[in-house]
């Protein structure tokens, strides 16, 4: 699980802008983030992973954060194992 968190945090900034979604205003105004955190926060780790994914991909975040990354990303492929 720690590998997934490291992959999202280290590889997220390298993602091209066309794969990113909007995050402006989403953290405070929209309640979707809080609902998403409620769904994935079976543990504090999952909440951190979800927030890192949302901050990287915005409203384009998929249910499995790793599915947002290109299939040829070596670090993310290791995390998928």
């Amino acid at each position: 699980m720690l590998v997934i968190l490291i992959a999202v945090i280290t590889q997220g900034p390298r993602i091209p802008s066309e794969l990113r979604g909007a995050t402006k205003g989403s953290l405070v105004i929209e309640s979707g983030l809080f609902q998403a955190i409620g769904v994935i926060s079976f543990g504090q780790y999952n909440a951190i992973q979800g927030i890192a994914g949302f901050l990287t991909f915005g409203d384009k975040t998929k249910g499995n954060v790793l599915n947002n990354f290109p299939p040829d990303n070596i670090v993310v492929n290791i995390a998928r194992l």
Side-chain angles (χ1 to χ4, degrees):
M1 292 183 151
L2 183 61
V3 175
I4 295 171
L5 183 60
I6 291 170
V8 172
I9 291 172
T10 62
Q11 301 302 300
R14 299 175 186 196
I15 294 300
S17 60
E18 62 267 7
L19 294 178
R20 296 176 181 263
T23 57
K24 186 175 181 181
S26 296
L27 294 175
V28 178
I29 297 172
E30 295 179 22
S31 62
L33 174 65
F34 297 108
Q35 291 171 347
I37 291 173
V39 170
I40 64 167
S41 64
F42 298 108
Q44 190 175 20
Y45 166 79
N46 286 333
I48 293 170
Q49 178 184 340
I51 291 170
F54 181 78
L55 292 175
T56 301
F57 298 106
D59 59 0
K60 292 185 178 181
T61 305
K62 297 178 182 175
N64 181 340
V65 174
L66 297 179
N67 289 340
N68 288 93
F69 289 93
D72 61 345
N73 188 304
I74 295 171
V75 175
V76 173
N77 285 334
I78 291 171
R80 286 184 176 127
L81 297 175

